[in-house]
């Protein structure tokens, strides 16, 4: 260690330039420095350079963050959007791509407003005139993917038709409305969103799915074998889907929540 | 890789994947193998649209000839299918006129006509008129050369008048 460093007793006493501490040189030290007494050997410099390369650089961390925000997140959200409307027909096992109802778009918009309002996602941190056009465009793409995934999440969790559709939609509207006026911080919103989605998932894929009668046989046979289920299915107008639908929707919801957990509050720290 | 390059990659990936998701919901394939069938159909449709937009659209001559042979052999169902395949965009007046004519010939009867086929023929011939008002068939086997003549024949066939009960009408010939 050089004499200059030894003389530095406390970093707090040093002036700060651009966040770095620069030791003040005493006139005696400066003379010695100019005479070349304390200059390190070339081999020492090489070792120091090697050590510096081995350290994780800020660039690498920034790159990792960019990969996460601009590649991984859209992929996660779009996969969630792809799977959110997928149902498997009970009898034939065919794919049914259920398009979202208009109310899903309204709920998704409300949800995004809540994200911005509570600061879970900072609007100014994602879109700003201080950012480059490219970064603003890339951020817009990520937000579009998030919106699509949110729409499809509501599409996945709200029953497709009938009385159940209206009841669950009303519950969603009520919860989102209450959250809008009462939830002020991001952590509470995140918890409330997870709880809301879990409750809706359990309602649709456990409660209602178990009340739906099998698709096998004609209606008379079904009524004879299980009159309650057949009656509930008829009264609530429940569609008959394969149990694989529940597994797919669980995966889609898990992906969406994972994506939401990974979304940074702002991106203006990593400018391209 | 620079953050700028990652952002560009992300934009491209999001656009491509997003379009794929939209396409899946539009095409709604029923099975995994159906995805490739729907993709081929979409590409063909897009190619036809592009060809029509750029003025390079052409009727598939091989299919058209097959349709014409079926039409002359009075196999009108097959003829219509072949003509539809030959002109998937349904913008070639000649092919569309043959389709309209096939409805007329199949629906024509000495005692009574098939109203359902005549109605479809009427819709079809109106399409031909919309495509080309000046169209004239160059086939000698078709006695009604102009779409308006065919339309008149189809309308007459659908209308019930006192003239329909004229026994001399039994001697009329199919056009």
């Amino acid at each position: 260690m050089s004499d200059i460093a030894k003389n530095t007793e406390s970093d707090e006493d040093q002036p700060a330039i651009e966040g770095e501490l620069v030791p003040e040189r005493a006139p005696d030290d400066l003379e010695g420095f100019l005479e070349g007494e304390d200059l390190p050997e070339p081999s020492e410099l090489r070792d120091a350079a090697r050590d510096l390369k081995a350290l994780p650089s800020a660039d690498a961390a920034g790159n990792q963050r960019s990969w996460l925000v601009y590649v991984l997140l859209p992929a996660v959200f779009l996969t969630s959007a792809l799977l959110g409307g997928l149902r498997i027909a009970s009898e034939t096992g065919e794919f049914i791509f259920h398009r979202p109802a208009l109310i899903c778009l309204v709920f998704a918009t409300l949800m995004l407003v809540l994200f911005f309002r509570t600061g879970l996602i900072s609007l100014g941190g994602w879109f700003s005139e201080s950012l480059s056009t490219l970064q603003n465009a890339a951020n817009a793409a990520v937000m579009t993917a998030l919106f699509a995934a949110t729409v499809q999440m509501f599409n996945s969790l709200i029953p497709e038709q009938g009385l159940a559709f209206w009841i669950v939609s009303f519950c969603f509207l009520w919860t989102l409305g209450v959250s809008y006026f009462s939830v002020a911080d991001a952590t509470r919103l995140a918890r409330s969103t997870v709880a809301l989605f879990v409750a809706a998932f359990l309602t649709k894929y456990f409660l209602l799915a178990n009340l739906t009668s099998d698709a096998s046989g004609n209606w008379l046979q079904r009524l004879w074998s299980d009159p309650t289920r057949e009656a509930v299915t008829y009264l609530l107008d429940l569609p008959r889907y394969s149990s694989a639908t529940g597994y797919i929707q669980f995966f889609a919801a898990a992906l969406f929540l994972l994506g939401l957990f990974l979304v940074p509050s702002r991106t203006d720290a990593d400018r391209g | 890789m620079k953050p700028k390059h990652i952002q560009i990659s992300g934009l491209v990936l999001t656009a491509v994947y997003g379009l794929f998701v939209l396409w899946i919901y539009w095409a709604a394939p029923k099975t995994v193998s159906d995805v490739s069938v729907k993709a081929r159909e979409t590409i063909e449709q897009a190619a036809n649209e592009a060809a029509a937009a750029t003025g390079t659209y052409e009727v598939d001559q091989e299919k058209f000839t097959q349709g014409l042979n079926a039409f002359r052999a009075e196999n009108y169902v097959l003829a219509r299918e072949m003509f539809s395949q030959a002109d998937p965009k349904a913008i070639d007046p000649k092919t569309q006129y043959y389709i309209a004519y096939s409805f007329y010939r199949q629906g024509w009867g000495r005692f009574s006509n098939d109203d359902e086929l005549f109605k479809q023929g009427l819709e079809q011939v109106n399409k031909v008129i919309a495509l080309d008002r000046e169209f004239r068939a160059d086939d000698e086997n078709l006695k009604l050369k102009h779409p308006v003549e065919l339309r008149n024949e189809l309308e007459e066939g659908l209308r019930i008048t006192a003239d329909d009960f004229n026994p001399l009408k039994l001697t009329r010939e199919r056009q």
Side-chain angles (χ1 to χ4, degrees):
Chain A
M1 190 184 284
S2 70
D3 292 338
I4 300 168
K6 280 178 189 169
N7 289 337
T8 309
E9 287 182 5
S10 165
D11 288 346
E12 288 172 9
D13 300 334
Q14 307 303 324
I17 301 169
E18 293 284 327
E20 290 180 14
L21 290 169
V22 178
E24 281 182 357
R25 289 172 187 279
D28 296 345
D29 295 336
L30 202 60
E31 279 175 23
F33 181 76
L34 290 171
E35 284 165 18
E37 288 173 4
D38 296 329
L39 282 177
E41 294 297 318
S43 60
E44 287 178 44
L45 282 172
R46 274 198 297 275
D47 289 347
R50 203 182 305 127
D51 290 345
L52 272 175
K53 277 184 184 171
L55 287 170
S57 64
D59 277 357
N63 260 3
Q64 214 165 4
R65 196 175 145 92
S66 294
W67 279 111
L68 168 77
V69 174
Y70 299 110
V71 179
L72 184 68
L73 272 181
V76 164
F77 284 135
L78 288 173
T79 307
S80 178
L82 175 68
L83 299 177
L86 178 60
R87 315 278 187 269
I88 310 292
S90 178
E91 281 183 67
T92 55
E94 288 178 344
F95 295 157
I96 299 167
F97 287 94
H98 188 263
R99 290 166 193 170
L102 186 60
I103 197 80
C104 298
L105 273 79
V106 176
F107 289 160
T109 310
L110 266 174
M111 188 62 111
L112 283 198
V113 169
L114 272 171
F115 289 160
F116 293 135
R117 195 165 180 265
T118 55
L120 189 68
I121 297 168
S122 163
L123 194 59
W126 277 77
F127 301 102
S128 165
E129 57 188 17
S130 64
L131 301 177
S132 66
T133 312
L134 175 66
Q135 194 172 355
N136 273 319
N139 286 348
V142 178
M143 283 294 120
T144 310
L146 171 63
F147 179 72
T150 314
V151 169
Q152 288 293 73
M153 266 309 94
F154 284 110
N155 182 21
S156 160
L157 298 173
I158 297 174
E160 284 74 15
Q161 63 209 30
L163 187 63
F165 169 84
W166 292 108
I167 292 172
V168 175
S169 295
F170 178 76
C171 292
F172 267 120
L173 187 66
W174 182 268
T175 315
L176 289 171
V178 168
S179 298
Y180 186 82
F181 292 108
S182 63
V183 178
D185 67 298
T187 318
R188 276 190 66 195
L189 178 71
R191 282 183 194 154
S192 129
T193 306
V194 172
L196 182 70
F197 283 5
V198 168
F201 185 85
L202 292 177
T203 305
K204 185 174 174 185
Y205 295 104
F206 283 82
L207 183 69
L208 292 178
N210 277 307
L211 289 174
T212 311
S213 66
D214 292 337
S216 56
N218 59 34
W219 70 270
L220 201 61
Q221 287 170 328
R222 291 196 300 263
L223 192 66
W224 182 255
S225 62
D226 199 340
T228 317
R229 273 188 172 185
E230 187 59 27
V232 171
T233 306
Y234 175 75
L235 287 172
L236 294 178
D237 198 9
L238 298 172
R240 295 182 179 89
Y241 294 130
S242 158
S243 56
T245 306
Y247 290 90
I248 292 169
Q249 295 316 313
F250 178 81
F251 184 65
L255 264 182
F256 176 75
L257 293 175
L258 172 75
L260 210 56
F261 175 73
L262 292 174
V263 170
S265 174
R266 46 198 317 125
T267 61
D268 49 357
D270 36 54
R271 289 174 192 178
Chain B
M1 202 180 221
K2 285 182 179 175
K4 198 163 69 174
H5 297 147
I6 299 171
Q7 285 163 6
I8 293 169
S9 316
L11 259 177
V12 172
L13 173 100
T14 310
V16 172
Y17 196 4
L19 285 175
F20 172 73
V21 173
L22 284 177
W23 174 78
I24 277 276
Y25 277 83
W26 174 76
K30 297 209 181 297
T31 55
V32 175
S33 57
D34 200 24
V35 174
S36 58
V37 175
K38 294 274 185 185
R40 199 168 51 241
E41 280 176 13
T42 309
I43 291 167
E44 278 174 10
Q45 206 177 334
N48 285 333
E49 292 281 351
T54 55
T56 54
Y57 180 79
E58 278 181 7
V59 170
D60 185 336
Q61 281 305 322
E62 194 184 331
K63 292 265 168 64
F64 180 81
T65 310
Q66 286 175 11
L68 199 57
N69 290 339
F71 181 83
R72 284 175 182 160
E74 302 202 349
N75 187 350
Y76 299 114
V77 176
L78 178 66
R80 277 197 293 275
E81 178 58 29
M82 287 295 129
F83 286 137
S84 297
Q85 286 182 23
D87 181 23
K89 278 287 292 168
I91 55 170
D92 180 51
K94 187 178 174 183
T95 317
Q96 296 306 308
Y97 191 64
Y98 272 108
I99 294 175
Y101 220 108
S102 73
F103 279 120
Y104 164 71
R105 284 204 171 165
Q106 192 183 354
W108 186 88
R110 194 166 294 280
F111 294 101
S112 68
N113 302 315
D114 186 324
D115 281 0
E116 204 49 51
L117 286 168
F118 266 43
K119 277 178 192 165
Q120 290 181 55
L122 197 57
E123 277 177 28
Q124 187 66 31
V125 80
N126 283 332
K127 272 190 204 170
V128 179
I129 293 168
L131 286 169
D132 184 2
R133 211 172 177 82
E134 305 296 318
F135 176 76
R136 188 181 188 285
D138 54 4
D139 189 337
E140 289 305 314
N141 293 319
L142 305 182
K143 290 176 184 165
L144 305 169
K145 304 284 184 200
H146 290 279
V148 281
E149 291 174 325
L150 179 59
R151 184 170 67 180
N152 182 58
E153 192 73 13
L154 289 163
E155 283 172 346
E156 282 295 321
L158 284 168
R159 204 174 292 137
I160 298 171
T161 58
D163 197 36
D164 289 342
F165 302 102
N166 183 355
L168 287 175
K169 283 206 84 174
L170 294 174
T171 58
R172 71 197 168 114
E173 290 298 320
R174 192 178 69 174
Q175 301 297 307

